[in-house]
Amino acid sequence: MAAKDDLYAKVTPRRQRQTRPSTVKHGSSLDVLLSMGFPKTRALKALVSTGGRNVQAACDWLFSHVDDPFLDDPLPREYVLYLRPSGPLLHQLSHFWQQSRVTCGKNKAHNIFPHITLCQFFMCADAKVEALCEALQTTVSQWKGRFPNPLPLELYTSSNFIGLFVDEQVAEVLKTFASDFANEAAAKADAHVEPHKKQLHVTLAYHFQTNHLSSLEKLAKGIDVTQGCDWLAVLFSRDIRFANHETLRTMYPYTPQNEDELELVPGDFIFMSPVEQSSASEGWVYGTSLGTGLSGLLPENYVSRADECDTWIFHGSHSFLNPTSPTDMGGALGGMLLDSQLDSRLLDDPSPLDPPSLICQPMQMLRPNSQPRLPKRTLFVCRHGERMDVVFGKHWISQCFDAKGRYVRSNLNMPASLPARTGGFRDYDKDCPITVFGSTQARLIGEALLESHAAIDFVYCSPSLRCVQTAHHILRGLQQEGKTMIRVEPGLFEWTKWVAGTSLPSWIPTADLAAASLSVDTTYRPHIPISKLGVSESYDMYINRSFQVTREILSECQNLGNTVLIVAHASSLEACTRQMQGLSPQNSKDFVQVVRKIPYLGFCACEEIGEMGVWQLVDPPILPLTHGPNHTFNWRETLLQD
């Protein structure tokens, strides 16, 4: 096998992308691909690069990589074996991941999910990957009853590192397991695996700012390492060419204007190396698309930083408590699958072992059929509560603010106080608050979610004050106020065509919202900044924006939580869920008719089904909330009649 440095040196610029339609036939995945005329090397590469899911995924990969200059190059992928926690311990670690990111921002540990490294990255030929997966299955089966449970973990902190270290004697046992896997991999897959020789540990944080140490250490001390956990042996792979590259996520579509530019598709990933930037001018970077294998220049502000593991491919997970034999998936790489008999405790785990995201759609993750599943990912979308300007009319501002801008309510359904605005109270004209009853509506939704045991892991909302306030009161009803922070996302704002005038609302900055005791995340970086929103956007632009930001939100939260709540506008219930189900957008006329039927606090649920990335609307876990108008009552006019 060629030296790794020689393989990295083969990276060259790509040509332009071409696409073709694909068809799928029945039979063995590899046999079907060969019968379609694909060379065996290409067919194997496609199957391995898509996790061995099915023929359709492999065909999609092949057609999107038709001009990839490495398509016929026998470059092997790099593989790694991790121990991943599950059950209550994973839930605690995922909560730490979320809170540390909110409190102190992203550090190097966030690039990869919680794990214990069992070996160094190693290479395996595409034709041997099925045997490699069988080697892992065999080794885990041999260790049934021998794997130490629970694993004793001890917290360790230094000035730039925080982690949970495995007791040395137990660590030696784990290293023996890694050695057994290395022997099986060498015998069955001709792969050279080097077991990890350093101290085994779960990294919690490293390369963080010094002033964040005390906050991170306090969060780490809150992790109960004695919680139950079924440690899973999990196999991942990555493209060997981009091991030392920075991973970027495409945020906006871009059509090349010159031959040396790269087409950008939202949801795709871009690999960027500092040594390749000599040809890029200011504001541009040179990168390679994961989805196509093509390289070129791209505008820097069209991409954002992603986690390293976002582009890894998942090849199998096996429980030490219930190891089973490989399940035949009817394809050449049938051994690459999630273990079908995980401990039943996983079924109740609110933070399941979901593999990291693969690549831009339509590629999806492999799942076993007709077998117990991990908890499904769920997306809730909710409209804001009752708004002031609808109840009291557009002139409510002149009724409630005096000449000096002081607010005094004139009705019990008006809030007792309002957040101060740097632009003055006239900014409320386009960005009104919710009423007291709107706050009550939102709290009722939160209480209902609490009663249904539907814990919310992440909350995103439109920048409109009515949405932020609604999200805040939902969290209050959930008893998660101050624990789960609201991520204010401008990309969730309603269709800008509906905004009166020639400018967008002057929304309250997150720092001012936090100062007004609203539970917002002031460190959150939006997927679509306010500067990217324009007045009077077309219907297609709004629908595509909503779809794009929803996908990016779900991708951002993957592996860190199971349930996402979006609080936005009536239009969001349709715009944020329809294309997630694989449906085409409705025409604008039908869309408007749907939106008109959605009341305050209208609530819908969208659940991931089958393979990763496929969603469907399901019954929400809460009852509907019905409410009616209550006109102003003047006792003088009604009761003092002659």
Side-chain angles (χ1 to χ4, degrees):
M1 186 174 293
K4 187 181 295 187
D5 292 341
D6 295 336
L7 293 170
Y8 288 142
K10 291 186 178 183
V11 180
T12 59
R14 275 73 167 161
R15 302 186 296 278
Q16 291 297 319
R17 175 185 181 184
Q18 297 177 3
T19 58
R20 307 176 194 168
S22 61
T23 58
V24 178
K25 301 179 180 179
H26 297 289
S28 164
S29 296
L30 180 58
D31 291 340
V32 171
L33 291 173
L34 295 178
S35 69
M36 295 170 68
F38 292 111
K40 186 174 182 178
T41 55
R42 289 191 180 187
L44 284 169
K45 179 172 289 190
L47 288 168
V48 170
S49 298
T50 56
R53 195 174 83 255
N54 54 38
V55 173
Q56 182 65 60
C59 285
D60 290 341
W61 188 94
L62 285 165
F63 292 143
S64 64
H65 285 75
V66 66
D67 279 334
D68 185 343
F70 290 94
L71 187 58
D72 295 315
D73 200 316
L75 284 171
R77 295 181 65 84
E78 282 191 319
Y79 294 80
V80 69
L81 179 63
Y82 286 157
L83 283 181
R84 284 202 62 181
S86 66
L89 180 59
L90 175 59
H91 178 57
Q92 291 207 46
L93 292 174
S94 298
H95 181 72
F96 171 85
W97 240 248
Q98 175 188 352
Q99 293 301 311
S100 63
R101 202 162 188 165
V102 169
T103 305
C104 303
K106 182 178 179 181
N107 63 68
K108 289 288 186 179
H110 289 119
N111 279 329
I112 305 176
F113 42 79
H115 68 278
I116 295 175
T117 303
L118 290 182
C119 69
Q120 306 297 322
F121 274 94
F122 62 93
M123 292 178 284
C124 180
D126 293 344
K128 299 285 188 177
V129 174
E130 182 178 8
L132 179 67
C133 295
E134 292 175 354
L136 176 59
Q137 174 66 57
T138 299
T139 308
V140 173
S141 297
Q142 293 172 348
W143 273 74
K144 182 177 181 180
R146 298 168 54 197
F147 189 85
N149 187 29
L151 286 184
L153 299 172
E154 182 177 355
L155 179 65
Y156 170 84
T157 63
S158 67
S159 59
N160 63 356
F161 176 89
I162 301 177
L164 299 172
F165 278 76
V166 182
D167 175 82
E168 289 189 15
Q169 290 185 339
V170 176
E172 291 302 316
V173 178
L174 300 185
K175 291 178 182 179
T176 302
F177 165 77
S179 296
D180 289 352
F181 167 70
N183 293 333
E184 285 287 337
K188 293 184 176 180
D190 194 25
H192 177 63
V193 180
E194 292 186 19
H196 199 59
K197 297 179 181 178
K198 298 180 180 180
Q199 290 180 289
L200 301 186
H201 62 276
V202 178
T203 300
L204 297 179
Y206 76 103
H207 282 200
F208 47 81
Q209 297 181 24
T210 305
N211 60 330
H212 290 159
L213 175 60
S214 59
S215 297
L216 291 170
E217 188 174 17
K218 182 178 179 181
L219 289 172
K221 288 180 178 178
I223 301 174
D224 183 0
V225 297
T226 63
Q227 289 289 305
C229 179
D230 178 11
W231 290 90
L232 309 169
V234 188
L235 189 65
F236 290 96
S237 73
R238 67 183 183 187
D239 194 316
I240 189 174
R241 296 168 292 167
F242 307 117
N244 298 317
H245 288 51
E246 183 176 354
T247 305
L248 307 173
R249 179 183 286 105
T250 301
M251 299 172 60
Y252 312 109
Y254 178 75
T255 301
Q257 306 297 313
N258 300 289
E259 291 185 358
D260 60 350
E261 295 175 1
L262 181 66
E263 178 184 2
L264 297 182
V265 177
D268 191 9
F269 291 92
I270 304 296
F271 297 110
M272 188 270 290
S273 172
V275 300
E276 297 176 334
Q277 303 312 307
S278 58
S279 60
S281 56
E282 185 176 357
W284 291 72
V285 296
Y286 184 86
T288 302
S289 163
L290 173 66
T292 65
L294 304 175
S295 296
L297 296 169
L298 57 132
E300 188 174 12
N301 60 349
Y302 278 54
V303 294
S304 63
R305 292 187 178 182
D307 294 338
E308 177 185 344
C309 64
D310 284 346
T311 60
W312 291 2
I313 301 298
F314 169 80
H315 293 279
S317 172
H318 301 287
S319 164
F320 285 93
L321 297 181
N322 296 288
T324 60
S325 59
T327 302
D328 182 16
M329 297 296 289
L333 301 172
M336 302 179 185
L337 48 87
L338 284 169
D339 187 85
S340 61
Q341 301 294 330
L342 296 181
D343 191 318
S344 60
R345 287 174 295 174
L346 286 175
L347 300 177
D348 297 322
D349 180 16
S351 298
L353 174 68
D354 275 340
S357 57
L358 291 181
I359 64 175
C360 56
Q361 300 298 327
M363 290 191 174
Q364 300 153 357
M365 191 64 67
L366 175 112
R367 296 273 193 190
N369 295 322
S370 303
Q371 295 176 7
R373 294 182 46 117
L374 300 175
K376 298 176 181 178
R377 291 201 298 161
T378 303
L379 170 67
F380 296 140
V381 186
C382 181
R383 187 190 178 190
H384 58 76
E386 183 183 81
R387 49 190 292 175
M388 285 273 284
D389 56 358
V390 172
V391 176
F392 298 105
K394 295 183 178 180
H395 302 294
W396 73 271
I397 295 178
S398 60
Q399 298 171 7
C400 296
F401 288 90
D402 63 18
K404 295 184 178 180
R406 291 174 296 193
Y407 170 77
V408 179
R409 68 176 179 175
S410 58
N411 189 286
L412 287 177
N413 197 25
M414 292 180 173
S417 62
L418 290 177
R421 307 190 76 129
T422 55
F425 66 89
R426 287 293 173 188
D427 283 348
Y428 277 115
D429 186 43
K430 286 188 175 182
D431 188 29
C432 70
I434 59 176
T435 62
V436 173
F437 184 49
S439 301
T440 303
Q441 293 170 320
R443 193 186 72 250
L444 287 173
I445 293 295
E447 290 173 352
L449 288 169
L450 180 65
E451 291 176 1
S452 70
H453 305 290
I456 304 298
D457 298 306
F458 293 95
V459 178
Y460 291 78
C461 79
S462 160
S464 296
L465 177 60
R466 58 190 182 273
C467 299
V468 179
Q469 291 177 318
T470 300
H472 176 82
H473 286 285
I474 289 176
L475 287 173
R476 177 171 290 180
L478 269 165
Q479 299 180 13
Q480 292 181 222
E481 178 185 2
K483 300 177 182 178
T484 302
M485 307 304 288
I486 301 166
R487 297 178 172 182
V488 179
E489 175 53 61
L492 292 172
F493 183 59
E494 65 185 348
W495 189 4
T496 62
K497 179 183 177 180
W498 291 338
V499 176
T502 58
S503 63
L504 294 173
S506 296
W507 293 298
I508 301 177
T510 54
D512 292 349
L513 292 171
S517 300
L518 293 169
S519 304
V520 297
D521 179 4
T522 57
T523 66
Y524 174 67
R525 290 183 58 188
H527 292 279
I528 299 180
I530 295 175
S531 59
K532 292 296 181 181
L533 298 180
V535 181
S536 299
E537 67 185 345
S538 69
Y539 172 68
D540 289 340
M541 290 174 63
Y542 167 64
I543 291 298
N544 291 335
R545 164 165 65 86
S546 300
F547 180 40
Q548 171 193 335
V549 75
T550 303
R551 285 195 304 177
E552 291 177 5
I553 285 172
L554 292 172
S555 177
E556 182 177 55
C557 298
Q558 190 170 342
N559 301 314
L560 298 177
N562 209 45
T563 306
V564 175
L565 169 65
I566 288 176
V567 180
H569 307 270
S571 57
S572 305
L573 275 72
E574 169 76 1
C576 293
T577 63
R578 185 171 180 85
Q579 287 174 275
M580 292 300 298
Q581 303 171 72
L583 302 175
S584 299
Q586 299 192 75
N587 60 57
S588 59
K589 183 178 180 180
D590 292 338
F591 172 78
V592 171
Q593 294 303 315
V594 170
V595 172
R596 286 176 175 172
K597 299 176 183 178
I598 298 174
Y600 294 129
L601 271 301
F603 192 98
C604 72
C606 203
E607 187 174 84
E608 188 182 34
I609 60 170
E611 297 169 332
M612 195 171 180
V614 180
W615 298 74
Q616 70 173 2
L617 287 173
V618 296
D619 288 332
I622 61 176
L623 296 173
L625 174 64
T626 304
H627 41 87
N630 189 45
H631 300 292
T632 299
F633 174 64
N634 188 316
W635 68 272
R636 292 180 181 273
E637 295 178 357
T638 305
L639 302 180
L640 293 181
Q641 295 181 354
D642 294 333

